[in-house]
Amino acid sequence: MGPSAASALSPAVTTADDRLGKVLTLAVSQSVDSLSPFLAQRLTSTTIHRLVYEYLTNYDPEDGRTIPGLATAWKSSPDKLTWTYTIRENSTWSDGKPATAEDAAWTFRTMMTNPDAATANGSFTANFREVTAPDPHTLVIRLKKPQATMVALDVPIVPKHIWEKVRDFSTFNNDRSLPVVGNGPFILTDYKVDQYVRLRPNKKFWRGAPKIDELVLKYYKDGDAAVAALRKGEVSFVPNLTPAQAASLKSAPDVKVNDAPGRRFLALAVNPGARARDGQRFGNGHPALLDPAVRTALFLAVDRATLVEKVFQGHAVAGQGYIPPRFSRYAWHPAPAQERAYDPELAARTLDAAGYRKNAAGKRTGKDGRALDFRILCHATDPHDKAIGKYLQEWWGKLGVGLTVECLDNITDPWLKGDYDLAFDGWSVNPDPDFVLSIHTCGALPATPSDTGSTDNFICDRTYDALYARQAAEYDPSARAALVKQLQSRLYDTGFMNVLAYPNAVEAYRTDHIAAITTMPAAAGNLWGQDGYWSWWSAKPAAALGSGDGSGDGVSTGAVLGAAGAVVLVAALAAWAVVRRRSSADDRE
């Protein structure tokens, strides 16, 4: 953004330096990768964008069904190639200008025409033929072929009058002019890298302003330090607790632990030979991992049940398919003949048969004489990674395979360069799985080695791509679910993604700070990383309760949705309308 951008900003908000009363502080351990909605892929970053910008649609916190956001209604043509959205009339940007259909059209067209602007969410617009705004309250999207995600376009809509000044979307971080202009329930007022993010309520938000005075995301590199701050009342909320931390907080005064089925998976990602769309290969992944026999043997030597029992102490479910069991429509389980269950003896025989035999020192080597010594990228702030790494060193060591666990504060740089053999990987999955499936397509690869694509792990498999294209255009819920399961089966068979576990969402908050708050889903749901802004928008500070019993003042789902209005769906989609969002895992957005 050029020098004139700052002068264009005149948000009608007070600064973060004002005296505040009801402040909620959230402890976070993950760095913000970007405050630009066009680039951000980490969960902390996309959570912030959920708070700052409206999306066309939102999701019912009760059950995840699609409800209005910036769009109040939508319909498709009979051939489902033209979609028309009615844009609400009561949404304004925080600088006072109205939010219109042209803002949405400009956002999508920019993603369609600028590869850098498509970095984070380009899979949504890759099939768009044309996007227009015939009037301020009508958005029209014409498609090349049917697209099943048209009621789940999880793309932050940005103000055209601010963002059209950006000259380079690959480097613009959206942190030069604060407060950031948005139209969501909060306004981003201050940001310091790996220190804090400060947000104030948007008093003009159409659904109603949040009930707190400020929301602060405070960075803690050490999880135990965050828990200690929670005990002291220095922070209001801590996500991603270890089993030991959760157990220690069960009896802590004024603290409530929330333990719910997770929407994340934790996996081992294998470097498949990093490459770009132009055909160039790069990175230094171990060539032996290109052999399916090696990948199969490694996975046969992983005891998922032990990881769930010992590492997660029961606060997880053993991994199988790519989609967590919380999303029953799409969850997949391998058939007995297909499953790679824990079998170290079969793992050893598999390596023997493939020619990787032990030398005099007990190390497996290939025909080229190179030892099977691998590296695995580990998040320094994640104790689960470290604990699992020790188990892998033990199990694979018995096979004659060496493993070095490289725990780094920043795994992004070596990952993007392809400088790894394996890595701990994970994403938060939404009820509609399109995005987390798209990141393994050939089209998600970077254009050149120096570019950044939306790929997760450089996988490019034409069979997988063909299945992905079929599910993306399939509107029948049962037929689409069957295709999604075939995709997971193919991903499982290639062996480049080995899902270890589905961790629970284990988090805690202070009841003397937060008197009422909305989980998603309402029954056994999470607070951090929701598909929407419900938790922090609805959070009622304890001080506002008066008597402290909260009677009649809690935030109910009915109250949340009462302002949403009626949802207009095409009849053919009524049963299908479900959420899709890459909120990405806590480690990779």
Side-chain angles (χ1 to χ4, degrees), residues 181-203:
V181 175
N183 64 338
F186 287 89
I187 300 168
L188 198 161
T189 59
D190 198 7
Y191 166 65
K192 297 295 182 185
V193 176
D194 286 350
Q195 293 185 46
Y196 61 81
V197 180
R198 305 175 77 97
L199 303 108
R200 294 288 299 275
N202 180 2
K203 301 298 184 181

Side-chain angles (χ1 to χ4, degrees), residues 9 20 28 70 76 118 153 199 231-232 241 255 272 283 298 309 348 368 448-449 462 488 501 525 529 560 569 586:
L9 297 171
L20 297 170
V28 297
L70 182 60
S76 78
L153 295 174
L199 303 108
R231 288 179 178 276
K232 297 175 184 177
L241 297 174
V255 172
L298 293 182
E309 177 187 358
D368 59 358
T448 71
R462 298 302 177 184
Q488 295 177 78
V560 168
L569 288 176
D586 231 9

Side-chain angles (χ1 to χ4, degrees), residues 54 57-59 61 67-70 88 90 183 185 202 204-211 533-534 537 559-565:
E54 275 275 62
T57 57
N58 209 321
Y59 307 101
I67 61 173
L70 182 60
R88 68 174 57 255
N90 60 339
N183 64 338
N202 180 2
K204 300 177 182 178
F205 185 51
W206 67 270
R207 202 186 290 272
K211 299 171 179 62
Y533 40 66
W534 309 113
W537 173 78
V560 168
L561 298 182

Side-chain angles (χ1 to χ4, degrees), residues 27 147 295 362 392 527:
Q147 181 169 322
R295 300 195 299 272
L392 294 179
L527 294 170

Side-chain angles (χ1 to χ4, degrees), residues 73-77 82-86 139 141 151 568-570:
W74 44 89
K75 61 181 180 179
S76 78
S77 59
T82 300
W83 286 77
T84 303
Y85 302 81
T86 301
L139 174 72
I141 300 177
V151 295
V568 180
L569 288 176
V570 177

Side-chain angles (χ1 to χ4, degrees), residues 321-453:
Y322 193 64
I323 308 299
R326 171 165 158 175
F327 308 113
S328 57
R329 171 178 291 176
Y330 299 112
W332 170 84
H333 309 284
Q338 183 183 15
E339 184 178 7
R340 296 188 180 118
Y342 179 56
D343 191 338
E345 293 182 359
L346 178 58
R349 293 197 302 270
T350 300
L351 288 176
D352 288 340
Y356 299 92
R357 298 188 176 274
K358 289 184 178 180
N359 60 20
K363 299 284 293 185
R364 297 269 181 182
T365 60
K367 295 178 182 178
D368 59 358
R370 183 172 176 178
L372 298 190
D373 284 328
F374 303 126
R375 305 155 296 163
I376 185 167
L377 287 176
C378 156
H379 302 82
T381 58
D382 193 329
H384 294 143
D385 284 9
K386 299 173 185 176
I388 293 172
K390 292 180 180 179
Y391 277 104
L392 294 179
Q393 287 176 319
E394 176 187 344
W395 294 330
W396 292 355
K398 292 177 181 178
L399 277 179
V401 175
L403 181 67
T404 300
V405 181
E406 301 179 342
C407 292
L408 307 174
D409 289 335
N410 174 19
I411 70 167
T412 299
D413 291 343
W415 196 312
L416 294 178
K417 294 177 182 177
D419 292 342
Y420 66 99
D421 299 326
L422 303 105
F424 288 106
D425 190 12
W427 289 80
S428 292
V429 179
N430 298 83
D432 187 290
D434 181 82
F435 185 87
V436 291
L437 297 173
S438 75
I439 58 179
H440 295 304
T441 60
C442 299
L445 295 173
T448 71
S450 60
D451 291 313
T452 300

Side-chain angles (χ1 to χ4, degrees), residues 393-547:
Q393 287 176 319
E394 176 187 344
W395 294 330
W396 292 355
K398 292 177 181 178
L399 277 179
V401 175
L403 181 67
T404 300
V405 181
E406 301 179 342
C407 292
L408 307 174
D409 289 335
N410 174 19
I411 70 167
T412 299
D413 291 343
W415 196 312
L416 294 178
K417 294 177 182 177
D419 292 342
Y420 66 99
D421 299 326
L422 303 105
F424 288 106
D425 190 12
W427 289 80
S428 292
V429 179
N430 298 83
D432 187 290
D434 181 82
F435 185 87
V436 291
L437 297 173
S438 75
I439 58 179
H440 295 304
T441 60
C442 299
L445 295 173
T448 71
S450 60
D451 291 313
T452 300
S454 58
T455 185
D456 175 52
N457 191 41
F458 301 104
I459 293 173
C460 179
D461 176 74
R462 298 302 177 184
T463 300
Y464 181 93
D465 275 21
L467 287 167
Y468 174 79
R470 288 175 60 193
Q471 71 80 33
E474 180 57 69
Y475 284 92
D476 179 79
S478 298
R480 183 165 182 252
L483 288 168
V484 169
K485 291 177 181 179
Q486 289 182 51
L487 275 164
Q488 295 177 78
S489 178
R490 178 63 182 176
L491 199 58
Y492 185 91
D493 286 343
T494 62
F496 290 118
M497 290 293 294
N498 177 27
V499 179
L500 302 176
Y502 312 110
N504 285 7
V506 187
E507 50 200 5
Y509 65 90
R510 290 198 64 93
T511 55
D512 56 348
H513 291 194
I514 302 172
I517 193 166
T518 299
T519 59
M520 184 177 186
N526 55 289
L527 294 170
W528 176 248
Q530 294 181 353
D531 294 304
Y533 40 66
W534 309 113
S535 52
W536 312 115
W537 173 78
S538 72
K540 186 174 181 60
L545 285 178
S547 64

